Amino acid sequence: MFTGIIEELGRIAGVERNADAARLTVHGPLAVEGVKHGDSISVSGVCLTVVEFDAQGFTADVMAQTLAMSTLDAAREGLAVNLERAAKVGDRIGGHIVQGHIDGTSEVLEIRPGEAWRVIRFSLDPEHAPLVVDKGSIAIDGVSLTVSAVGADDAGDWFEVSLIPETLVATTLGERVVGDRVNLETDILARQVARMLRFGEHRTLPSSVPATSGGLA
């Protein structure tokens, strides 16, 4: 589990591809402090498992499904990525609960600069639109953000976030331009509620107490 508070801007140091997977080497000295084989690190919102590491970075395998659903399919040497180590029990959650299991990708539709912030509008697939609410939480490339607006037009559904200078400097979102793809993870609570609602009112939640006809003894 992660919190969406980026610890370090890393760089892809190497990419090895085969037919249905890829192995990424990521430069991130801070991200490997205290790391162990098998630990999880979020790479631009995608939870990856450390298989090798040294003082300068780590290597992780990326399976075909992850490549198909994320921007890591376009990973290349030198690409900047957001890095966050898995949260420890007892840590402050400065952002929100982020699993590193992304829903898919989104496209930057519009960027509106302000004096001390920047508003970015992103596309939203119809299947994800019900999961995104105004003032709700969302993770974009692993960054925990608050949705500042949601809407729809002739081109489809969209949402916006407002980025402060610190976020623009400390994450890759400051480099985004119109047309870029980003990794999107909707709020886990919204996904759980949507899943339960799909079962309909005729389904009931399981109970640990068996029903009896005679009531309580």
Side-chain angles (χ1 to χ4, degrees), residues 54-90:
D54 58 25
Q56 296 303 310
F58 64 96
T59 298
D61 293 317
V62 188
M63 61 183 179
Q65 165 119 5
T66 302
L67 293 172
M69 289 189 64
S70 75
T71 60
L72 293 184
D73 64 340
R76 65 185 186 281
E77 189 172 342
L79 180 70
V81 289
N82 298 320
L83 301 178
E84 181 191 356
R85 292 168 291 185
K88 296 179 180 179
V89 175

Side-chain angles (χ1 to χ4, degrees), residues 42-129:
S42 172
V43 178
S44 288
V46 180
C47 178
L48 297 181
T49 300
V50 175
V51 295
E52 296 176 3
F53 66 94
D54 58 25
Q56 296 303 310
F58 64 96
T59 298
D61 293 317
V62 188
M63 61 183 179
Q65 165 119 5
T66 302
L67 293 172
M69 289 189 64
S70 75
T71 60
L72 293 184
D73 64 340
R76 65 185 186 281
E77 189 172 342
L79 180 70
V81 289
N82 298 320
L83 301 178
E84 181 191 356
R85 292 168 291 185
K88 296 179 180 179
V89 175
D91 277 357
R92 291 184 177 89
I93 301 179
H96 71 284
I97 295 174
V98 178
Q99 293 182 298
H101 304 158
I102 67 166
D103 296 292
T105 62
S106 178
E107 181 182 345
V108 177
L109 299 177
E110 180 185 340
I111 299 176
R112 302 195 305 275
E115 291 185 8
W117 64 87
R118 188 176 302 171
V119 177
I120 303 183
R121 178 175 292 189
F122 296 91
S123 65
L124 194 56
D125 289 343
E127 63 192 278
H128 301 143

Side-chain angles (χ1 to χ4, degrees), residues 2-199:
F2 307 92
T3 68
I5 304 301
I6 303 306
E7 296 184 291
E8 181 177 24
L9 265 177
R11 296 275 174 184
I12 301 294
V15 181
E16 298 177 24
R17 299 185 184 275
N18 57 38
D20 60 354
R23 173 165 284 204
L24 303 183
T25 300
V26 182
H27 179 265
L30 176 60
V32 293
E33 287 186 6
V35 77
K36 304 184 298 296
H37 180 86
D39 281 355
S40 296
I41 295 179
S42 172
V43 178
S44 288
V46 180
C47 178
L48 297 181
T49 300
V50 175
V51 295
E52 296 176 3
F53 66 94
D54 58 25
Q56 296 303 310
F58 64 96
T59 298
D61 293 317
V62 188
M63 61 183 179
Q65 165 119 5
T66 302
L67 293 172
M69 289 189 64
S70 75
T71 60
L72 293 184
D73 64 340
R76 65 185 186 281
E77 189 172 342
L79 180 70
V81 289
N82 298 320
L83 301 178
E84 181 191 356
R85 292 168 291 185
K88 296 179 180 179
V89 175
D91 277 357
R92 291 184 177 89
I93 301 179
H96 71 284
I97 295 174
V98 178
Q99 293 182 298
H101 304 158
I102 67 166
D103 296 292
T105 62
S106 178
E107 181 182 345
V108 177
L109 299 177
E110 180 185 340
I111 299 176
R112 302 195 305 275
E115 291 185 8
W117 64 87
R118 188 176 302 171
V119 177
I120 303 183
R121 178 175 292 189
F122 296 91
S123 65
L124 194 56
D125 289 343
E127 63 192 278
H128 301 143
L131 307 177
V132 180
V133 298
D134 188 24
K135 304 303 185 290
S137 296
I138 197 163
I140 301 174
D141 277 350
V143 184
S144 174
L145 296 167
T146 299
V147 177
S148 57
V150 293
D153 52 30
D154 293 341
D157 294 292
W158 53 262
F159 73 96
E160 293 180 346
V161 295
S162 299
L163 306 180
I164 61 174
E166 173 66 17
T167 303
L168 295 171
V169 171
T171 76
T172 59
L173 295 181
E175 302 176 4
R176 298 283 72 87
V177 297
V178 172
D180 279 355
R181 283 194 310 146
V182 296
N183 294 320
L184 185 68
E185 182 183 331
T186 57
D187 184 58
I188 179 59
L189 296 179
R191 298 203 302 269
Q192 292 284 7
V193 171
R195 171 66 176 167
M196 289 189 291
L197 290 175
R198 289 194 193 104
F199 281 91

